[in-house]
Structures are given as C-alpha cells and as structure tokens.
C-alpha cells in the first residue's frame, strides 16, 4: 500500500492538534462530526483548522489513513521540518539542534522517531545518520535539502 500524502499545512494542523493533547481517534471523531469548536482554542486560536475539516469532508479515507497509519508530506520547507520536529518530538531549533541555511544538524532522535521522520518527510530532504548510540537507542542525524 502506498503512503498517503498531506500538504505541509495539513501536517502542521494535525501535529498541532496532537501536540495539544488530542489523540488520533478523538481528532477523527471531531473531524467526522464537524466539531470545529473543539479546535477553536488550540494555542489561543492561532490556527484555523478549516482546511483539515475540508479534507475530512472531501477525502476522509486519506485523512483518516494519515492519522492512523502515518503520512508523507508532499513538499516540506525547512520551517516545516522544524515545525514537525517541535510538535511531534518536542525538539526546539538552536536548543536541541543547530540550524543552517539548508540543513538541521546534530538532531538526537530515538529509533522510533527516526523511523517516523524517514517516512514523513518529503523527498526533497535527506536524512544522514551521523552517529548511532545503541545504548540510548538514539541516532544523531543531519537533515538536509537533497540536491
């Protein structure tokens, strides 16, 4: 089965909901029942979740599969990668890793997080494993723009 794809914006909305305590089945239920109010106060109303509700109405299979089984971002910018690292894994730019013009460096990811990043990032990025740390079950990686 091929991986479903979300836009960077759809990823940002989904990961924001998850980062603010919504579990996957709860997100699906709120989207199915058009419960827009549930997301109105997320991060002080900073995000408009309308696009996620539109996708839920137009293509519920894609969205629900993305939520339950994972997704790949169609095209990601460096800020999109930083957003994903922050919302999904709690990593902060310049605190947990270094930011360069076309790369993010010295990112510590657990094995599960590394697998998730591999499957989620768009093909315009590549992940270079710099150092495996088997005892901690972590890998230090560099994520860079593919040439």
């Amino acid at each position: 089965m091929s991986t479903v794809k979300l836009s960077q914006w759809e990823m940002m909305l989904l990961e924001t909901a998850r980062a603010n305590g919504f579990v996957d089945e709860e997100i699906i239920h709120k989207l199915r029942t058009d419960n827009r109010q549930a997301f109105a106060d997320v991060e002080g109303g900073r995000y408009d979740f309308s696009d996620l509700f539109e996708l839920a109405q137009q293509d519920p299979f894609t969205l629900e599969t993305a939520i339950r089984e994972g997704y790949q971002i169609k095209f990601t910018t460096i800020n999109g990668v930083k957003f994903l690292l922050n919302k999904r894994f709690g990593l902060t730019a310049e605190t947990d890793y270094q930011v360069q013009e076309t790369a993010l460096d010295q990112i510590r990811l657990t094995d599960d997080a590394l697998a998730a990043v591999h499957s989620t990032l768009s093909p315009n990025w590549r992940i270079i494993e710099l150092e495996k740390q088997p005892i901690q079950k972590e890998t230090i990686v560099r994520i860079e723009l593919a040439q």
Side-chain angles (χ1 to χ4, degrees), residues 36-50:
R36 294 168 190 258
Q37 192 56 42
F39 301 108
D41 294 330
V42 168
E43 295 190 19
R46 190 170 155 204
Y47 296 95
D48 177 355
F49 284 83
S50 298

Side-chain angles (χ1 to χ4, degrees), residues 60-78:
F61 174 80
T62 293
L63 185 56
E64 290 180 21
T65 301
I67 293 170
R68 287 191 178 114
E69 298 173 24
Y71 58 89
Q72 182 178 44
I73 306 165
K74 294 174 188 172
F75 180 85
T76 319
T77 65
I78 195 163

Side-chain angles (χ1 to χ4, degrees), residues 90-104:
L91 300 175
T92 305
E94 302 300 353
T95 301
D96 297 307
Y97 58 88
Q98 284 106 46
V99 178
Q100 298 161 353
E101 194 172 330
T102 59
L104 306 174

